[in-house]
Amino acid sequence: MDNLYHTDFYRWKEQQKQHLIHKRFDQLDLKRLIEEVDDMGRSERNTLESHLVILLLHLLKYQYQTYVINPNLFEPKEFRSWYDSISQARMAISRLIRKNPSLQHEQDDAVHESYPDAKSGAIREMNKYLLKKYQLNEQSYPDTCPWSFDQIMQEDWLPEA
């Protein structure tokens, strides 16, 4: 069984499924089944954090472009490009939580865990378009997320200056 788990995971999974269906509990690879069940839960949390990184990243970029760059432009522009990605991330998060309601208990912690990656990404991505003297750094955004989960998930909410 050990070798099958490492050489043909799909076949191992099917074998475990058959053991369960036919109630051959003594033939189950319990150690690895427990690990796989644990990974399934971790996967959902990782998916939530991944969607939150995208949402927070685009909210940070929207805020910077709207309130730092835009007021300094000769002809102000509206940065509509972030609206769709913000909306799509919100929908993906809502769908994930609807399918996995217990993630509601994880959402605030997931925002806390996701924010540093979003902040780093926003700095990196914004710096591609800024002159060296205007480059962003770690102090360009707050150390912790300035918004709550409920706030960022409001359909029409966008950050202010």
Side-chain angles (χ1 to χ4, degrees), residues 59-76:
L59 289 171
L60 288 167
K61 288 165 56 172
Y62 167 86
Q63 183 182 41
Y64 189 83
Q65 286 184 327
T66 303
Y67 297 104
V68 176
I69 296 174
N70 196 16
N72 297 322
L73 294 177
F74 178 70
E75 291 185 32

Side-chain angles (χ1 to χ4, degrees), residues 28-75:
L28 289 170
D29 184 355
L30 288 177
K31 178 184 175 207
R32 291 214 172 73
L33 277 173
I34 291 167
E35 290 171 2
E36 291 300 321
V37 169
D38 190 44
D39 285 347
M40 288 167 36
R42 213 171 303 132
S43 173
E44 298 306 318
R45 168 66 187 252
N46 289 341
T47 301
L48 174 61
E49 288 181 9
S50 178
H51 290 308
L52 281 168
V53 167
I54 292 167
L55 176 58
L56 292 168
L57 170 74
H58 290 154
L59 289 171
L60 288 167
K61 288 165 56 172
Y62 167 86
Q63 183 182 41
Y64 189 83
Q65 286 184 327
T66 303
Y67 297 104
V68 176
I69 296 174
N70 196 16
N72 297 322
L73 294 177
F74 178 70
E75 291 185 32

Side-chain angles (χ1 to χ4, degrees), residues 8 16 22 35 43 45 107-108 133 149 153 155:
D8 189 347
Q16 297 305 301
H22 298 292
E35 290 171 2
S43 173
R45 168 66 187 252
Q107 58 199 29
D108 292 330
K133 64 182 180 179
F149 179 84
M153 290 301 293
E155 187 175 332

